[in-house]
């Protein structure tokens, strides 16, 4: 049985290799053997593996999986053979999600609704978790607030917009390209039964609109209650990074009592920046959804979120923007493009 693995090379190069993997013949008391039907291809964060002392010669690729239970351990209580499941393999997993069969703890999986396809389940499970972590766990969103979602057309951004809309939050979103602009504009009339809560799409490609002016205009000068970024410019960086807002811009458009949720792990705030947060009684949180699998402190809440993500996908609250599925034989090429950020997340489906 072959799986896809990656090996860090010199000067930051990454090599993806397909290699044979053995499936354990004996499974643990609380483990489940799953036949994988689909697997999401997301970038591998080697720095995170290094920080958590989980460095390996070959890192497994593809952790967001959906499949059918083949066998359960003697003390498994959540599943039985032939159940359809979806979940996220932990960082310490030895097997690639692109293997035909994987073994994992039952606590990493939830039931997949029958109406949800294998393709959609693997595509949404982790981005849905990120959206919940950002908006519920960190930002504590409430109806009537205003949220700014940067890169609103990305896989994570789309679900964040839809989750915020579901809870009655007014949404502003940025578009990084004409294609993203078109997608978000088409999303607006169909956002929900209420009036469209995707109040404005802000074009940041080609310097079409000023982010700060647009947000302050839309909020009557009060600023936004929640910011969810997709990267931040700390300095005057090359043109390729111009689509990312500067940290001072985000501090400026944050409202009194607002909350900034950042994905920028190297964000550095100088004393004047911290003083702005103090004057606004605002706060800053770092979005790292991997904490759910690296710590079991809130395991019950984690599984509840995964289940709710699948329920919202089943009922149509979540409507992801998905590219065509990738056949297994194209997974290596697709993963190389995803790792280089030449394309967004791709989903490998086993026919």
């Amino acid at each position: 049985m072959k799986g896809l693995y990656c090996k860090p090379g010199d000067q930051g190069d990454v090599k993806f290799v397909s290699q044979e993997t053995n499936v354990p013949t004996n499974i643990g008391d609380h483990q489940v053997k799953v036949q994988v039907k689909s697997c999401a291809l997301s970038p591998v964060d080697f720095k995170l593996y290094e920080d958590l002392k989980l460095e390996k010669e070959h890192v497994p690729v593809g952790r967001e999986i959906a499949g059918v239970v083949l066998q359960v351990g003697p003390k498994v209580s959540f599943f039985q053979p032939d159940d359809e499941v979806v979940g996220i393999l932990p960082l310490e997993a030895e097997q690639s999600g692109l293997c035909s069969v994987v073994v994992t703890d039952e606590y990493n999986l939830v039931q997949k609704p029958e109406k949800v396809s294998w393709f959609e389940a693997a595509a949404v499970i982790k981005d849905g978790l990120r959206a919940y972590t950002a908006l519920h766990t960190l930002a504590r969103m409430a109806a009537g607030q205003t949220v700014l979602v940067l890169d609103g057309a990305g896989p994570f951004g789309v679900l964040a917009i839809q989750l915020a809309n579901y809870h009655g939050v007014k949404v502003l979103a940025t578009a990084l390209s004409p294609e993203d602009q078109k997608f978000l504009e088409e999303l607006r009339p169909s956002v929900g039964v209420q009036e469209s809560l995707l109040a404005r799409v802000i074009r940041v490609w080609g310097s079409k609109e000023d982010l700060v002016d647009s947000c302050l205009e839309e909020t009557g000068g009060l600023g936004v209650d929640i910011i969810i970024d997709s990267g931040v410019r700390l300095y005057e960086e090359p043109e390729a990074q111009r689509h990312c807002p500067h940290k001072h811009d985000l501090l400026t458009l944050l409202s009194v009592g607002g909350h900034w949720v950042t994905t920028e792990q190297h964000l550095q705030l100088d004393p004047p920046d911290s003083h702005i947060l103090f004057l606004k009684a605002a706060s800053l949180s770092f979005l790292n959804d991997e904490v759910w699998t690296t710590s079991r402190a809130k395991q019950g809440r984690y599984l509840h979120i995964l289940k709710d993500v699948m329920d919202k996908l089943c009922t149509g609250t979540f409507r992801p923007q998905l590219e065509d599925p990738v056949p297994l034989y194209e997974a290596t090429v697709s993963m190389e493009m995803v790792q280089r950020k030449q394309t967004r997340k791709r989903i490998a489906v086993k026919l």
Side-chain angles (χ1 to χ4, degrees), residues 40-42 64 117 119-125 127-128 149-163 173-187 190 198 201 312-313 316-325 343-347:
L41 303 177
S42 301
E64 302 134 73
S117 70
F119 176 55
E120 291 178 321
V124 166
I125 189 69
D127 287 318
V149 178
L150 300 171
D151 188 13
F156 164 58
V158 170
L159 298 188
I161 289 171
Q162 292 167 350
L163 182 62
T174 63
L176 307 186
S177 68
E179 294 76 20
D180 289 355
Q181 176 83 18
K182 181 181 178 183
F183 169 77
L184 291 172
E185 292 290 359
E186 289 174 352
L187 185 67
S190 59
L198 180 51
V201 179
K312 283 184 169 50
L313 182 59
T317 300
F318 283 157
R319 298 179 304 282
Q321 181 191 21
L322 302 173
E323 297 189 34
D324 293 335
T343 185
R344 285 168 171 157
K345 174 189 290 191
R346 301 303 301 273
I347 313 299

Side-chain angles (χ1 to χ4, degrees), residues 159-351:
L159 298 188
I161 289 171
Q162 292 167 350
L163 182 62
N165 168 71
Y166 178 79
H167 289 281
V169 175
K170 179 180 177 180
V171 182
L172 313 178
T174 63
L176 307 186
S177 68
E179 294 76 20
D180 289 355
Q181 176 83 18
K182 181 181 178 183
F183 169 77
L184 291 172
E185 292 290 359
E186 289 174 352
L187 185 67
R188 290 184 63 189
S190 59
V191 176
V193 210
Q194 318 167 42
E195 64 175 291
S196 173
L197 294 178
L198 180 51
R200 184 164 181 171
V201 179
I202 303 167
R203 295 172 293 174
V204 296
W205 49 276
S207 302
K208 294 290 183 181
E209 294 182 65
D210 183 84
L211 179 63
V212 175
D213 290 346
S214 298
C215 290
L216 293 180
E217 176 186 343
E218 196 64 42
T219 58
L222 298 177
V224 297
D225 300 296
I226 301 170
I227 298 171
I228 302 178
D229 71 41
S230 60
V232 181
R233 273 191 298 126
L234 305 181
Y235 315 102
E236 292 303 323
E237 297 176 9
E239 190 64 28
Q241 300 294 324
R242 296 296 296 179
H243 65 272
C244 290
H246 196 282
K247 62 178 180 179
H248 295 147
D249 292 339
L250 298 187
L251 289 170
T252 300
L253 57 84
L254 194 61
S255 71
V256 170
H259 201 99
W260 174 9
V261 179
T262 183
T263 59
E264 179 53 65
Q265 56 183 296
H266 300 298
L267 179 66
Q268 180 178 346
L269 294 183
D270 299 319
D273 302 328
S274 299
H275 189 60
I276 293 174
L277 287 175
F278 168 76
L279 291 175
K280 293 186 174 186
S283 55
L284 169 71
S285 294
F286 289 87
L287 176 58
N288 174 19
D289 54 278
E290 296 293 355
V291 295
W292 295 107
T293 55
T294 54
S295 170
R296 299 298 186 187
K298 297 181 179 178
Q299 183 67 34
R301 182 180 297 180
Y302 170 61
L303 292 178
H304 175 77
I305 292 173
L306 295 188
K307 184 179 183 302
D308 207 41
V309 168
M310 286 296 105
D311 289 344
K312 283 184 169 50
L313 182 59
C314 184
T315 58
T317 300
F318 283 157
R319 298 179 304 282
Q321 181 191 21
L322 302 173
E323 297 189 34
D324 293 335
V326 175
L328 203 55
Y329 61 84
E330 291 183 5
T332 302
V333 175
S334 296
M335 188 61 209
E336 289 172 349
M337 296 175 65
V338 169
Q339 189 70 25
R340 296 191 196 109
K341 299 184 178 179
Q342 295 172 341
T343 185
R344 285 168 171 157
K345 174 189 290 191
R346 301 303 301 273
I347 313 299
V349 176
K350 302 183 180 181
L351 305 176

Side-chain angles (χ1 to χ4, degrees), residues 13-27:
D13 294 333
V14 177
K15 184 178 181 180
F16 292 93
V17 294
S18 180
Q19 66 179 30
E20 289 292 336
T21 307
N22 295 322
V23 182
T25 51
N26 298 319
I27 62 175

